[in-house]
Amino acid sequence: MNQNFKFNVLAFLTVCIWGITFVSTKILLSDGFTPTWIFIIRFAIAYVCVFALSHNKLWANTKKDELYMLAMGLTGGSVYFILENNALQLTYASNVSLIICTAPILTIILDSIVNKTKVKFRVILGSLIALCGVAIVVLNGSITFGLNPLGDILTFLAALSFASYCIILKDMSKRYSNLFITRKVFFYGWVSALIYGFTEPFPQLISLNVFPQVLINMLFLSIIASFLCFLVWNKAVQVLGPNTTSNYIYFTPMITIIASTLILKEPITAWLVVGGIVIITGVYMSTK
């Protein structure tokens, strides 16, 4: 199998799993967890998993590179999550879902500025088409998109944060192994989120009747959606580049809605189908 095709498929599957995480998170929220503590627990478990495979080399080659690892833990982990979480409390969920999907376009812009990468017109056009598809999926035929400056700015900063993660990752992946980078991201993301977590209430005691449900969803979030998916995503960025890989983020809202329909029995509409077709068209143009 062609390596590029393989990692395009893996990047898509990774985003599919990340789309499902919103459903698992929703279940854990109903069981007494806060969003921040869900993140802290899932990154702690994921760190243990990756540390078991990569523990011989503890530090980066230089202090500068170690700071870059810290930056990735923040931009791809805690800061991204905290900004998005706070934005959801200040503005419409549709605003957040749509603005966060500007991350691929921001990645292209940052890559052209930082790495002087030449961007093809079809990549830009495909990204804009895919973003239109996201708008169709998110708005779902209703006008729930409104202006809330603070919430919308926080969401934009979250998208910029993840785009920055992809750009730093592109450089670091030339000098360090995928396992080493992923371990560093989990560690610094976990530590910084833990500091922030102490400003929020601790999770409530879990009753025995929901413990199996909590365990299954937490293991899914930590081992599959964090440990395995970050390994695959980081490798995909290394092979395909940040611009191509980040375009698969456009699928996230569509996957979330499909998962909600199948698992939570939430309704599905024709807008999802139309939006999905537009997203697929845009991503195909950007990645072919």
Side-chain angles (χ1 to χ4, degrees):
M1 183 186 293
N2 179 273
Q3 188 180 40
N4 279 13
F5 176 76
K6 180 177 73 173
F7 278 100
N8 273 290
V9 172
L10 289 174
F12 172 72
L13 292 176
T14 297
V15 169
C16 286
I17 292 172
W18 282 347
I20 298 171
T21 61
F22 291 99
V23 177
S24 283
T25 300
K26 189 172 182 178
I27 293 171
L28 290 173
L29 288 171
S30 67
D31 291 330
F33 288 87
T34 64
T36 302
W37 280 100
I38 292 173
F39 176 86
I40 291 170
I41 295 170
R42 67 182 276 194
F43 258 48
I45 297 173
Y47 177 76
V48 170
C49 291
V50 73
F51 187 82
L53 299 177
S54 173
H55 52 267
N56 293 327
K57 181 181 177 66
L58 294 180
W59 304 102
N61 297 334
T62 65
K63 291 181 179 179
K64 182 179 179 180
D65 283 355
E66 190 67 28
L67 289 175
Y68 277 128
M69 298 294 175
L70 168 61
M72 284 194 293
L74 296 173
T75 56
S78 58
V79 169
Y80 166 79
F81 176 82
I82 291 167
L83 286 172
E84 184 183 59
N85 180 42
N86 280 280
L88 282 167
Q89 300 177 47
L90 296 170
T91 189
Y92 290 114
S94 56
N95 288 43
V96 176
S97 299
L98 183 55
I99 297 172
I100 208 70
C101 282
T102 61
I105 294 177
L106 292 173
T107 302
I108 293 172
I109 294 171
L110 284 179
D111 196 31
S112 64
I113 295 172
V114 176
N115 298 315
K116 311 299 181 184
T117 304
K118 187 177 180 180
V119 183
K120 296 180 180 179
F121 175 74
R122 64 172 176 78
V123 174
I124 298 174
L125 180 61
S127 293
L128 292 173
I129 291 173
L131 187 61
C132 289
V134 171
I136 294 172
V137 170
V138 170
L139 296 179
N140 197 27
S142 62
I143 306 300
T144 56
F145 190 87
L147 182 65
N148 186 304
L150 181 56
D152 294 342
I153 289 171
L154 289 178
T155 308
F156 177 79
L157 290 175
L160 183 61
S161 178
F162 193 80
S164 302
Y165 168 78
C166 291
I167 297 303
I168 300 171
L169 175 61
K170 178 183 179 180
D171 182 47
M172 290 295 102
S173 63
K174 297 174 184 177
R175 300 197 292 278
Y176 298 94
S177 71
N178 191 14
L179 277 172
F180 179 80
I181 292 172
T182 305
R183 195 193 80 218
K184 285 293 186 179
V185 170
F186 287 157
F187 176 75
Y188 284 121
W190 174 75
V191 169
S192 52
L194 185 63
I195 295 171
Y196 178 81
F198 284 119
T199 66
E200 293 190 353
F202 283 93
Q204 301 172 6
L205 291 176
I206 305 169
S207 61
L208 291 177
N209 63 317
V210 299
F211 179 77
Q213 174 178 281
V214 168
L215 182 63
I216 290 171
N217 281 284
M218 193 62 78
L219 290 177
F220 167 74
L221 288 173
S222 57
I223 296 176
I224 297 177
S226 295
F227 171 53
L228 294 178
C229 282
F230 264 81
L231 283 175
V232 172
W233 184 265
N234 291 350
K235 186 64 177 179
V237 170
Q238 182 182 9
V239 174
L240 303 174
N243 297 344
T244 298
T245 308
S246 63
N247 271 327
Y248 286 100
I249 294 172
Y250 291 123
F251 286 104
T252 304
M254 184 179 71
I255 298 301
T256 300
I257 292 174
I258 292 174
S260 298
T261 301
L262 296 175
I263 300 172
L264 302 178
K265 308 302 180 184
E266 295 181 356
I268 192 170
T269 68
W271 291 102
L272 174 65
V273 178
V274 174
I277 293 172
V278 176
I279 292 170
I280 292 170
T281 302
V283 172
Y284 176 75
M285 287 182 61
S286 300
T287 58
K288 72 175 183 176

